[in-house]
Amino acid sequence: MTGTGVGPELLRLSGVSAAYGHHEVLTGIDFHIHEDQFTGIVGPSGSGKTTLLRILLGIVRPTTGTLERADGLRISYVPQLETINWNFPVTVAECVLMSRAQGRWTPRPTREERDAVAGVLDRLGIGSLAQRHIRDLSGGQQQRMFFARALLRQPQVLLLDEPTSGVDVSTRHDMLHLLAELHEDGIAIVLTTHDLNGMAAHLPHLVCLNHRVVGEGTPADVLTPDVLEATFGARMEVLEHLGMRVVIDEARDASSRSAG
Ligand code: ADP
Ligand code: MG
């Protein structure tokens, strides 16, 4: 697994800026997604990570620069859990099936559709939850359901927004394994994260974002005090443990403890 993206190019942003009204949130972004990509976009809250994903999806239009996509590209998105309306009255199986119907509710799914849904739910280890209401799932189960929904469309590119925020350590671990497996299967993966040690340090390729790209490379290349300061605006210490980078972020560790 290289993750640096040397296969055929699927998506390319060139010189892209983006704004909400007059508030520019991304500037001069050059970014490519290749077939064998496995990239983490790292940056603090408000640095433009979600906006970058929305540009790749075509939901937000660049104010300058261009987005090029391979013909007929299949791209799926796993949104950040916090943005979901959990009171929508559907079961897990129905919610996953709606991805195939592209938002339209079809009362009678075909046999083939039901089998496809059962297949992805089993693959994600939540086959037994198919008939449960989505609001009665744990955080990790909710996350898997959105994975299932994204995978049902058999994407070439999978975008995930903060896939490990709000999930426990064992779910995070499972998720890293699952992502590595999907990458082995040939799906290009781009995710956002502000979790440096739990997620970013385990990925083959990182892009550090602070409204612009301030660093790019392997964790060893970019998890350094200088690049981290340019990204997060704070000095952090970096240790090396068993060949892995470990970032000591006292402010964040203290605040995440107090936040529970
Ligand atoms: P991140 O995902 O890194 O936290 P975002 O891309 O969500 O960053 O946001 C970047 C900036 O754009 C933030 O200042 C945020 O407040 C602003 N922003 C995001 N979405 C909107 C929106 N729909 N309308 C106005 N401002 C927005
Ligand atoms: Mg975000």
Side-chain angles (χ1 to χ4, degrees), residues 26 40-50 52 80 161-162 191-196 200 206-215 222-223 227-233 236 249 252:
L26 291 173
I41 299 170
V42 170
S45 181
S47 60
K49 301 182 298 297
T50 298
L52 181 54
Q80 201 175 341
D161 202 1
E162 309 263 1
L191 59 86
T192 66
T193 186
H194 59 254
D195 180 359
L196 296 172
L206 299 176
V207 170
C208 295
L209 190 71
N210 188 354
H211 305 293
R212 54 179 72 238
V213 174
V214 298
V222 300
L223 298 183
V227 177
L228 289 168
E229 187 166 6
T231 309
F232 291 92
M236 298 176 201
D249 178 358
R252 181 188 302 276

Side-chain angles (χ1 to χ4, degrees), residues 2-17:
T2 63
T4 46
V6 293
E9 194 169 273
L10 302 174
L11 266 166
R12 172 198 285 258
L13 302 183
S14 311
V16 160
S17 303

